[in-house]
Amino acid sequence: MSQTTTAKISEAAGDPVPSIAGIPAAPITRAPPLAAGAGPLGWARTNLFSSIPSTIVTLVLLILLARWATEFVNWAILHAVWSVPNTATGPDTAACRDAKGIGACWAVISEKYRFILFGRYLYEEQWRPAIVIVLFIGLYVVSAMRQFWRKELILIWITTLTVVGVLMWGGVFGLTYVPQDSWGGLPITLILATFGLACAFPLSILVALGRRATNLPAIRVLCTVYVELIRGVPLITVLFMASVMFPLFMPAGLNPDKLLRAQVAVILFAAAYLAEVVRGGLQTLPKGQYEAADALGLGYWHKTAFIILPQALRLVIPPLVNTFIGFFKDTSLVLIIGLFDLLTAGKVAMADLVWQPYSTEVYLVLAAIYFAFCYVMARYSRGLEQGFSRSTKR
Amino acid sequence: DPSWAQGSGSKTIDDIRARGQLVCGVTAGAAGFSLPDSRGVMRGIDADICRAVAAATLGEADKVRYVPTTVTNRFTALQSGEIDILVRSTTWTLSREANLGLEFAGVYFFDGTGFMVNKSLGVKSSKELNGATICIQPGTSTELAVADYFREHGMKFKPILIQDPAETQNTFISGRCDAYSMDISALASFRFQQGPKKDDYVLLPEVISKEPVGVMVRKGDEKFFDLVRWSMIALLQGEESGVTQANVDQMLDSKDPTIRRMLGLEGDLGKAMGVDNKWAYKILKSVGNFGEIWERNIAPLGISRGINALWTKGGLHYPPPMR
Amino acid sequence: MSGAVLDPRLHPVRAAPRKKLNFSWSDPRFRNIVWQVVILSAVTAVAWFLISNTNRNLEQRRIATGFAFLSRTAGIPIGEHLIDYDPAVSTYGRALLIGVLNTLKVAVVGVVLATLWGTLLGIARLSRNWLVSKLAAVYVEIIRDVPLLLQLLFWYSILQALPAPRQSFHPVPGVFLSNRGVKIPFVEWDEPYWWALLALTVGAVGTWAWSRAATRRQERIGTRPKVWPMAILLMVGFPVAVWAGLGAPFVADVPELRGFDFNGGGTISPEYGALTMGLVIYTAAFIAEIVRSGILAVPTGQWEAAAALGVRRGIILRKIVLPQALRVIIPPMTSQYLNLIKNSSLAVAIGYQDIVSIANTTLNQTGQAIEGIAMVMLVYLVISLSISLFMNWYNGRIALVER
Amino acid sequence: MSQATTIDRANAATCEQPAIILDKVNKWYGAMHVLRDVSMTVSQKERVVVCGPSGSGKSTMIRCINRLEMHQEGRIIVDGTELTDDLRALDTIRREVGMVFQNFNLFPHLTILENCTFAPIWVRKMPKAEAEELAMSYLRRVKIPEQAKKYPGQLSGGQQQRVAIARALCMRPKIMLFDEPTSALDPEMIKEVLDTMIGLAEDGMTMVCVTHEMGFARKVADRVVFMDRGEIVEAGSPASIFEDPQTDRLKQFLSQILRGH
Amino acid sequence: MSQATTIDRANAATCEQPAIILDKVNKWYGAMHVLRDVSMTVSQKERVVVCGPSGSGKSTMIRCINRLEMHQEGRIIVDGTELTDDLRALDTIRREVGMVFQNFNLFPHLTILENCTFAPIWVRKMPKAEAEELAMSYLRRVKIPEQAKKYPGQLSGGQQQRVAIARALCMRPKIMLFDEPTSALDPEMIKEVLDTMIGLAEDGMTMVCVTHEMGFARKVADRVVFMDRGEIVEAGSPASIFEDPQTDRLKQFLSQILRGH
Ligand SMILES: Nc1ncnc2c1ncn2[C@@H]1O[C@H](COP(=O)(O)OP(=O)(O)OP(=O)(O)O)[C@@H](O)[C@H]1O
Ligand SMILES: Nc1ncnc2c1ncn2[C@@H]1O[C@H](COP(=O)(O)OP(=O)(O)OP(=O)(O)O)[C@@H](O)[C@H]1O
Ligand SMILES: [Mg+2]
Ligand SMILES: [Mg+2]
């Protein structure tokens, strides 16, 4: 039976296998048949209308989407008021009042955008915070590109942040000195978020390592208490402590900078959250990686810095980004230290009685700015995640 | 200035001079009181009072750092020394003065709590508000005043307490609340700003509480307290004596002994308080008198002077003699 | 050495010896102890420094501290309260307690709804319908990336746009939908209702017992008897019977427009509605991501193994995949629950009186800011730690047993 | 039979209809052609061993029989039912086909006993007591009844492997598919697992087994199939395959395995 | 020597001092006694194969030699240095002892080359160029120089195993420890890895290898050690162990392995 079967099978197989010196060459490859779901129509059928419930859901959603989209376009573009005339007593918002409910009043943005973006920064000098925003965005872009992931990146960061400081404060190179309390708007948000996360991140790693140090019970308890206490209270109360009550904790006369204090509070808070995320990553890493590093004679810090953390952090990119996004938005709580961050500046801009009825427009613009930053962050992290898994997986 | 070198005998004044800035707690945004304009410059009656005190203390009205405060942190900020004075529509009450280690240096605005309703409700008096839903800003003395008023008249109400004034107003406009209770000045300006629609809203006649709005300082620094109090009096005296920002320089030639003492041409009123003799001159020169401040900030909101006029015109502002 | 090595009697069990501590810097244990002592004393010193400073400063500035104000009459108005409150007689302590209850009211409902909605969204993101999965993705991105405060204001303004009480929607008799919230009829509470409530409780316990019995029966004969007929009988029929037996008193407390507003009936206020809705919608976006990653973290081998046994998809998801996904889901979910509860403090922006709102008012009226903030921190801390503890306990319970 | 996809089942169980028919099956992953015109027939109670180098498509083929993967061309008929997209037919087939995965895929959150009773209870609607009795009988069969209350994570590799076999057997399948059931075990354990399988084979179960254990192939296989690069290169009795390989590729493969260690 | 823990290293390298001495080593996991009075001496350049049933403590013993586990009683002297709590001595020893894990434990985020150069650069402070050259020479030795730029995830099991060997060799250890280096590989790959190890053995490296590959034991071992339940039951030349086992336990073990498949 064996002989006949073999013969039948090689006949049936169709592709004879030519062999040279006992090593068979690769058989001729055929392309796969066209899948059922090819072409736009096929795509729609498999992805949108695969079953009756699926078709109903698709249709209902499409109709709803279309209705919302037209309504929005009508309001935001077709019937919108883009600017209003300026009179001696201030802007005349009659046109906006008439359009209320039908069209948007973007005039509030053209009137207030500089205040929203830069807060109470000296009006004539507002090109400086504008440059700072651009610098920050440039810094993010550069840091995001892998070809810049070298030691020089640290140098770039230091230089950029120095330039940011010089631009914001001034007082040198013929720039007017602008005290910190009149900073505001987007630069404040970016400064708090960037410094906050950049400093909280290393701290969170230390805390996470401390929480896992089984042979250091006191340190572990300390880190646990820190994380649980900070996580358990709202950020606003921590900021309240740091901003208004801090002088009560210090000996009289010792009164460090207010922005700095808020910054420290943000860092301490972010670090507690990030530490939990990092700890998750550390827990998932197989023990074998620790042992392999030990067996090579690596010291604790080498092992941690080059073997453990790079892997652990990759595992937790999605929750890390969740936390980053959360904190980028939470910087809006710094009103309590008397700074107008982006969100507060927007709200204050609307305290102007003339513009008070047009909060929707302002809120939309604010939401769009926040969304732009957070969305890019989320997208980038997803790319990063996939890039890592591509390089380390088959 | 050499007179500063010996020290003023006041820790606060010394600190302000060492810093070169008066730190002034204001609201984050209340039109007419303190609100950054489109260019970020702080404007309003609160801001002007800060500038007046700065002019008296430092000689320059612009050396002010405005710290926006919230209803939550305003007293703590003053207590802890984060700010030097609090000029933030704060009503002068006994408990605030007794418990907080703070005191009121003077009243610059006499206000009262009132109610505004939508005309369509047909309500004519606040006594008809039994069962109404009322929008109030929390943490203010309005809150207690309304509660007291309804208790006194045996009525009930449902409060809606929203922190942000702009949101409160939106909520009122939407009809979520039947009435909006606030300081009468704020209600008047709210109505004024509705433009052609202002007749949709009715301000009810009853004033249910006294709300003297004042400037707060820390207790225990009498010199600074005096300086703040008399800076405010100088603003009123300027108005009473007809000294304005425009004519203050000509007034240096005035024969009126009151004016001459105030402007530092006679006597040592300034020195007695540990500042330059020209303190009141500098205030009036850089900020103007109280009437000018009012015209500049409050009048555009559609608020009439009423009891905030000088005593000579039937109001409550009565500057004690500067002697 | 012979076959005797297999005999356990020749291997008397010896306990491990204890190690002695070596007082030398090259002994890692000694080193650890020294480090810990150093760090602990540093922390203690800093804490002592701060506390003593605070005490001195408070004294110097003549700021009165203490919690005596808690027993003073509050006088502040409170809109929504679960327990009786009268500004004229109730104390600040009671006002704060109402705040805590209001916060819990949002937290409990919010956590439950956000979990359900988030899980649904997470599963929708894995849907085979392209539009559904894409829309779920868009939802997650937009909601996650816009500040919660703006979203709350948005939802509040939507609810405010409902018609005034006089023009309210009136879908079912007795139910009114207006900018004063949702009003539903209620009955005038009477003694028989307490008995009916008791009957309902008994019925619920009975239903539970019945479903246990059904499970046992399934174990015995393989098929599961229906539970719902019995459930209806026990949880609806029985209470109604009790109520009818006691004379069926019925005075409907139907909401009725009187003066400015509806009187009577039960209410869901726009403030509570907007806050809960906003928090649920926001937190669900985060939970959706967590659930999705949890489901994806279960190896496909588990799906395959169950499918190879001929098990249906729904049962696989319920019995095999979700129980395992929970391990990945629980820790970040805990963080989200904590966030939801803390975010509820934004209530003050849309007029819902939670603990922060009432504490703010209190500390404004009394000036006791430090005490007020400390109490807010304490309340949140207690809630958060209880949730953390519960979730950790649950997490430990479902942890896989490994070697 | 080319039209009718299902044949009378009662009939199928008794008559000499083959258990599995693969007819010119082709499968691609993306553009990669992993099964090329694979045709094979497994009769009732036949024991087939599949071998071949790594990546030759052995696992893919066996997974196609269970429709864990979908083939794109050709036909697969299992137990008289052709594999199509019909879900009900698919579940019916999967009940009759047991599979033991290379990496076990035990349910880690269920005890050993629950792993075994899960499918009988939820698919066959068997009473729990009966299912447990059945499971215990199979656990005894694979010599680990004392582990019933433990969780998979607490067992050694060999024990886990045997649980996987017991779990599949508890559904009383007509056909068993094994994917390298001994690849991660130590010699003593390999022996135990193979003994279990030999026991099954002697009971007359239809078996398809991917393995490199030539000892097993020699001892129980009715037929050995050698695959390479997605094709069946040779098939025949163990004797003919091992003693008398026809193709160079098989010769080379055998030389690697048999030589050396 | 019982007092002095360190012996002149220069001397140690040349004279006939043993590479590894285990002297009545005892180890517990909690209350579980996993190594019982294990005593063994491995001379310089000796090749020792450790075998025994699963759970007998083989891995534990080998891990104790590297102090990945701590023993609680007895003494272990590696390369003239006794293993104590002294951290510096520990690092010195680990540099001299290479270890190849059962499941490789390569660093997945580093390329093959970086895996190999990492320890020389950071532990031995070797210049990068030199480290890379050294790494390439060992990669050539294990016949995978062309994989240097890939990541571990992109290699097959056998290739990964060889990277693990090359990584350990790059530290130029005096002693190599292998823990079941072939247990998870398919037959063709097993052969490749064993060939590599035989090559090393022929160079005269001191080697301790836990394995079940009796072919390897026969071919290269100077001595075979059989463990059971935490004890060394028998030890001797491959010939004496395989042909002439003394204890019943060993006889039983060998019968399991050699019989059957
Ligand atoms: N999901 C997949 N996507 C793309 N290619 C795949 C996938 N699964 C398997 N392959 C490829 O298909 C080919 C056949 O894989 P298969 O697992 O059937 O091999 P095998 O014969 O079982 O090998 P082994 O003995 O290593 O298990 C391999 O080249 C493999 O890389
Ligand atoms: N971390 C641990 N905690 C408790 N017991 C353990 C631990 N590690 C190993 N053991 C136990 O110690 C004993 C010896 O384990 P070891 O890994 O040394 O065995 P082995 O001889 O290498 O076995 P195998 O051939 O299966 O690898 C086993 O019974 C094992 O269950
Ligand atoms: Mg395979
Ligand atoms: Mg082992």
Side-chain angles (χ1 to χ4, degrees), chain D residues 1-260:
Chain D
M1 217 182 89
S2 63
Q3 293 302 323
T5 54
T6 311
I7 289 178
D8 180 11
R9 300 279 316 286
N11 183 26
T14 49
C15 84
E16 269 313 288
Q17 182 224 336
I20 304 170
I21 302 169
L22 284 98
D23 182 21
K24 296 221 172 200
V25 172
N26 277 282
K27 169 155 186 65
W28 287 261
Y29 282 122
M32 187 175 169
H33 201 168
V34 285
L35 290 183
R36 300 160 188 264
D37 284 340
V38 170
S39 297
M40 180 171 81
T41 306
V42 180
S43 330
Q44 302 279 354
K45 306 199 174 170
E46 197 181 14
R47 275 102 58 177
V48 176
V49 162
V50 181
C51 63
S54 184
S56 54
K58 308 181 293 294
S59 299
T60 310
M61 181 178 83
I62 214 170
R63 287 161 62 85
C64 278
I65 296 175
N66 214 350
R67 209 170 178 73
L68 291 175
E69 307 281 353
M70 269 192 275
H71 59 286
Q72 284 114 335
E73 272 182 22
R75 302 169 67 211
I76 301 180
I77 298 164
V78 179
D79 198 27
T81 312
E82 174 161 359
L83 297 181
T84 61
D85 281 334
D86 184 347
L87 281 179
R88 256 159 313 162
L90 183 58
D91 275 346
T92 327
I93 290 174
R94 281 183 175 161
R95 280 178 211 175
E96 306 307 330
V97 181
M99 169 126 185
V100 178
F101 293 82
Q102 188 163 356
N103 48 355
F104 324 146
N105 284 339
L106 297 181
F107 304 131
H109 61 301
L110 302 180
T111 62
I112 302 308
L113 191 61
E114 285 164 351
N115 260 282
C116 294
T117 56
F118 180 74
I121 289 178
W122 288 99
V123 179
R124 290 239 189 273
K125 311 279 181 214
M126 201 181 273
K128 193 172 171 195
E130 192 183 323
E132 287 187 348
E133 202 170 298
L134 179 75
M136 285 310 293
S137 77
Y138 280 111
L139 287 176
R140 268 193 294 276
R141 178 91 191 255
V142 295
K143 304 206 184 73
I144 42 170
E146 73 284 358
Q147 312 286 352
K149 291 277 166 242
K150 288 196 186 166
Y151 285 89
Q154 294 171 305
L155 301 193
S156 76
Q159 292 165 332
Q160 290 190 21
Q161 184 74 66
R162 281 178 280 168
V163 175
I165 295 175
R167 180 176 70 176
L169 289 177
C170 279
M171 284 292 285
R172 294 223 183 94
K174 296 192 182 137
I175 303 166
M176 282 285 282
L177 309 174
F178 295 91
D179 193 358
E180 310 206 13
T182 56
S183 64
L185 304 183
D186 75 80
E188 277 186 306
M189 297 233 171
I190 289 180
K191 206 190 141 286
E192 288 182 31
V193 171
L194 291 184
D195 285 347
T196 310
M197 288 172 59
I198 290 170
L200 293 177
E202 280 161 5
D203 287 358
M205 180 171 275
T206 312
M207 279 170 49
V208 179
C209 178
V210 174
T211 186
H212 297 296
E213 288 299 329
M214 295 310 151
F216 176 74
R218 280 220 183 81
K219 209 158 185 173
V220 294
D222 293 325
R223 193 143 54 97
V224 175
V225 173
F226 176 66
M227 290 186 73
D228 188 29
R229 304 195 190 185
E231 287 179 322
I232 295 184
V233 177
E234 254 189 86
S237 71
S240 70
I241 290 281
F242 292 127
E243 316 311 341
D244 183 23
Q246 300 292 311
T247 57
D248 292 341
R249 185 68 190 92
L250 178 55
K251 281 179 195 152
Q252 185 195 345
F253 182 75
L254 290 175
S255 72
Q256 295 280 344
I257 289 190
L258 302 180
R259 211 186 59 191

Side-chain angles (χ1 to χ4, degrees), chain E residues 173-188:
Chain E
K174 295 192 183 138
I175 302 166
M176 282 284 280
L177 309 174
F178 295 89
D179 192 359
E180 309 204 16
T182 55
S183 65
L185 304 182
D186 76 78
E188 280 185 304

Side-chain angles (χ1 to χ4, degrees), chain C residues 193-209 234-236 238-240 242:
Chain C
Y193 285 97
W194 285 114
W195 289 110
L197 202 66
L198 188 69
L200 179 71
T201 321
V202 171
V205 172
T207 309
W208 175 76
L234 283 173
M235 301 216 293
V236 179
F238 183 46
V240 167
V242 167

Side-chain angles (χ1 to χ4, degrees), chain C residues 45-87:
Chain C
V46 169
W48 180 82
F49 174 75
L50 294 179
I51 291 172
S52 65
N53 275 329
T54 312
N55 282 337
R56 195 173 43 243
N57 283 333
L58 287 177
E59 208 170 305
Q60 258 174 16
R61 291 170 206 222
R62 285 181 262 168
I63 301 172
T65 54
F67 288 92
F69 71 94
L70 285 181
S71 52
R72 290 214 296 268
T73 307
I76 52 175
I78 296 180
E80 283 181 56
H81 38 85
L82 288 174
I83 53 175
D84 284 339
Y85 176 81
D86 176 7

Side-chain angles (χ1 to χ4, degrees), chain A residues 341-380:
Chain A
D341 74 292
L342 186 58
L343 189 59
T344 318
K347 283 167 74 178
V348 170
M350 283 171 331
D352 197 337
L353 292 175
V354 183
W355 298 113
Q356 215 164 56
Y358 311 105
S359 50
T360 315
E361 287 81 349
V362 177
Y363 286 148
L364 263 182
V365 168
L366 290 178
I369 296 177
Y370 276 104
F371 176 79
F373 278 94
C374 296
Y375 183 69
V376 169
M377 190 146 58
R379 263 342 268 261
Y380 172 70

